[in-house]
Amino acid sequence: MTIDATHDPALQSWVESANSADTDFPVQNLPFGRFRSAAHEEWRIGVAIGDQVLDLRAAGLTDHADMNQLMGLAPNERRALRRSLSDGLRRGSAQEKAWQAALFAASTVELGLPCRIGDYTDFYIGIHHAATVGKLFRPDNPLLPNYKWVPIGYHGRASTILPSGHPFMRPQGQLKAADAAPRLAATQRLDFELEVGLFVGRGNRLGEPIPIASAEEHLFGIALFNDWSARDVQAWEYQPLGPFLSKNFASTVSPWIVTMEALAPYRRPLVRPEGDPQPLPYLDSEANRHAGAIDIELEVRLQSRLMRESGIPAQCISRSNFADAAYWTAAQLIAHHTVNGCALASGDLLGSGTLSGPHPEQAGSLLELTQGGKQPFGLPGGEVRSFLEDGDNVTLIGSCSRAGFRRIGFGRCEATVEPSWR
Ligand code: CA
């Protein structure tokens, strides 16, 4: 992960909105996604720049519109594409005239899922989340003995991953009160999960593990990810195989994948608390120890229907950080996922798991924020929340900052809860 001329904080773009201090998409970012300008159109590959989207094919940078194919490029080809984008979009570029015609105002296009997601794996690498939730479910045994040895995960369902902005219905499921038989009803404990989604770039062949030394060459980049959860359904169904219908009714992903190249300036050492076991050799490398973690500031905002109708802006309910929350790094997840020979493909999505920080106000879910519903909190406008109500909108945002570099952002990952059909 090298820092090069594309990260130069002095770079400015001829797309003026990309030079504003508060944009998520300055010329140093250049995230990829898919867009279309009319509902019947095929998806096109776009790159966000300020408040505009550059059509990659119209700009002459690809001869196809297949995002998954682009994600499978070799690392040197990816770096060359980033350089071409950076050169073409910077102020004074010879491409300015030609590329003007390939620009669309982001507000006028539909942003879809950033790629075709073939498979979705949900990890559980937020150690503070695992410990807090473990305490709620198993007070005597919060963190299971495998946690500090194995990056825990399970296979999710790609068909229910939704693009940001797509509403979803409150699901129904089996609910079981302690003193009654189970019944089928709409969930009463609907929750969000603050996660990042790691997108696989180049895949691997079945039977060929990816060593940790080259694991990041197989990662395309990172987006924001909300893995909505029905806690009452989860509590009854999760043993012995883990969550099932409590997690696969909807998950929301943000439209832009911030590439591993763009994230190069924001790397951090992997810090393990004193006394914790060292990772097994296949999960360990000098580079991973030195800069395996990624410093991404994360925030959750909630706006109820009443707040929306009263013109009250969304309220920040939690702040966290990927590097502080995660026990395992992206490279370790790739190395672990493939150590048994499992094949990953371009566009596969790895959810990080809920990224709660070490302090209660950094909780990445309502389950933690309200201590399982026992400590509701107030919203401006007088409402109280323990879990999500119909009409609630949850927005995740994220950004990377470091002295000497331009701040880059991830855009928004948001959706609104609609009433159950029951
Ligand atoms: Ca999850």
Side-chain angles (χ1 to χ4, degrees):
M1 287 302 117
T2 44
I3 293 171
D4 58 29
T6 66
H7 303 100
D8 180 351
L11 272 188
Q12 297 236 314
S13 175
W14 51 262
V15 179
E16 277 308 325
S17 58
N19 304 323
S20 102
D22 60 353
T23 182
D24 277 355
F25 309 121
V27 71
Q28 290 83 356
N29 192 347
L30 306 172
F32 289 81
R34 292 193 303 177
F35 77 100
R36 59 188 178 192
S37 53
H40 60 274
E41 274 187 356
E42 294 292 310
W43 292 110
R44 312 182 200 190
I45 303 173
V47 170
I49 178 79
D51 61 8
Q52 305 286 306
V53 178
L54 180 75
D55 181 333
L56 211 64
R57 185 160 59 174
L61 292 174
T62 68
D63 55 5
H64 63 82
D66 185 339
M67 181 67 172
N68 291 61
Q69 190 182 326
L70 182 138
M71 293 168 80
L73 288 176
N76 60 331
E77 295 171 308
R78 280 166 38 177
R79 278 194 293 274
L81 177 58
R82 178 174 166 85
R83 268 197 307 276
S84 301
L85 279 162
S86 176
D87 289 345
L89 286 168
R90 75 183 54 180
R91 192 169 271 162
S93 157
Q95 311 284 2
E96 177 173 349
K97 273 244 157 51
W99 285 13
Q100 285 281 7
L103 278 185
F104 293 76
S107 59
T108 66
V109 300
E110 179 187 355
L111 301 173
L113 288 175
C115 61
R116 288 187 316 278
I117 301 170
D119 269 311
Y120 157 44
T121 303
D122 197 17
F123 279 101
Y124 195 56
I125 68 174
I127 189 168
H128 308 292
H129 171 76
T132 308
V133 171
K135 215 175 286 169
L136 291 172
F137 284 73
R138 295 175 305 273
D140 48 336
N141 193 16
L143 210 55
L144 294 171
N146 57 6
Y147 193 86
K148 292 182 174 179
W149 295 93
V150 184
I152 303 292
Y154 71 96
H155 287 295
R157 196 167 174 82
S159 66
T160 50
I161 297 175
L162 304 171
S164 181
H166 196 296
F168 67 95
M169 273 182 289
R170 174 181 299 274
Q172 60 175 348
Q174 280 202 22
L175 315 185
K176 165 87 173 72
D179 51 355
R183 64 196 172 97
L184 181 67
T187 176
Q188 297 167 359
R189 296 186 147 222
L190 184 62
D191 202 352
F192 63 85
E193 286 190 336
L194 169 63
E195 302 196 19
V196 297
L198 311 163
F199 280 92
V200 173
R202 253 190 328 163
N204 61 311
R205 269 202 288 269
L206 183 65
E208 293 183 3
I210 299 173
I212 191 162
S214 52
E216 288 200 5
E217 292 175 15
H218 293 264
L219 268 175
F220 185 75
I222 297 182
L224 303 171
F225 188 61
N226 185 344
D227 193 27
W228 307 95
S229 300
R231 300 300 182 192
D232 37 13
V233 178
Q234 182 180 356
W236 171 230
E237 76 172 7
Y238 89 102
Q239 285 178 318
L241 288 184
F244 181 43
L245 300 179
S246 56
K247 299 271 187 176
N248 70 0
F249 56 93
S251 306
T252 304
V253 67
S254 59
W256 299 111
I257 305 178
V258 176
T259 63
M260 295 308 287
E261 289 77 25
L263 292 167
Y266 315 101
R267 307 301 298 247
R268 265 212 235 159
L270 173 61
V271 180
R272 281 281 162 88
E274 190 86 22
D276 275 16
Q278 285 308 303
L280 292 180
Y282 80 97
L283 294 173
D284 192 22
S285 76
E286 179 59 38
N288 190 61
R289 264 174 270 145
H290 177 68
I294 308 171
D295 193 354
I296 304 175
E297 294 290 340
L298 299 164
E299 188 175 322
V300 184
R301 294 177 183 171
L302 177 62
Q303 188 186 44
S304 69
R305 175 184 294 141
L306 183 70
M307 288 165 69
R308 208 157 42 249
E309 288 169 359
S310 316
I312 302 173
Q315 166 99 337
C316 172
I317 58 170
S318 176
R319 280 199 176 89
S320 187
N321 180 294
F322 181 30
D324 294 339
Y327 193 74
W328 302 97
T329 65
Q332 287 172 320
L333 298 187
I334 295 282
H336 182 65
H337 205 317
T338 60
V339 73
N340 65 346
C342 175
L344 300 179
S346 297
D348 284 0
L349 174 64
L350 314 183
S352 61
T354 306
L355 295 172
S356 305
H359 305 294
E361 69 277 12
Q362 299 170 326
S365 69
L366 291 174
L367 184 68
E368 297 156 86
L369 270 178
T370 68
Q371 283 294 301
K374 290 197 283 285
Q375 291 173 15
F377 61 90
L379 289 173
E383 293 172 283
V384 168
R385 282 294 177 280
S386 47
F387 289 96
L388 296 172
E389 304 282 337
D390 294 344
D392 283 356
N393 175 284
V394 177
T395 299
L396 312 182
I397 60 169
S399 62
C400 298
S401 308
R402 186 174 166 192
F405 291 93
R406 188 77 155 88
R407 173 195 170 278
I408 62 170
F410 284 73
R412 293 155 55 88
C413 175
E414 60 99 3
T416 301
V417 181
E418 296 201 330
S420 170
W421 57 90
R422 277 178 65 86

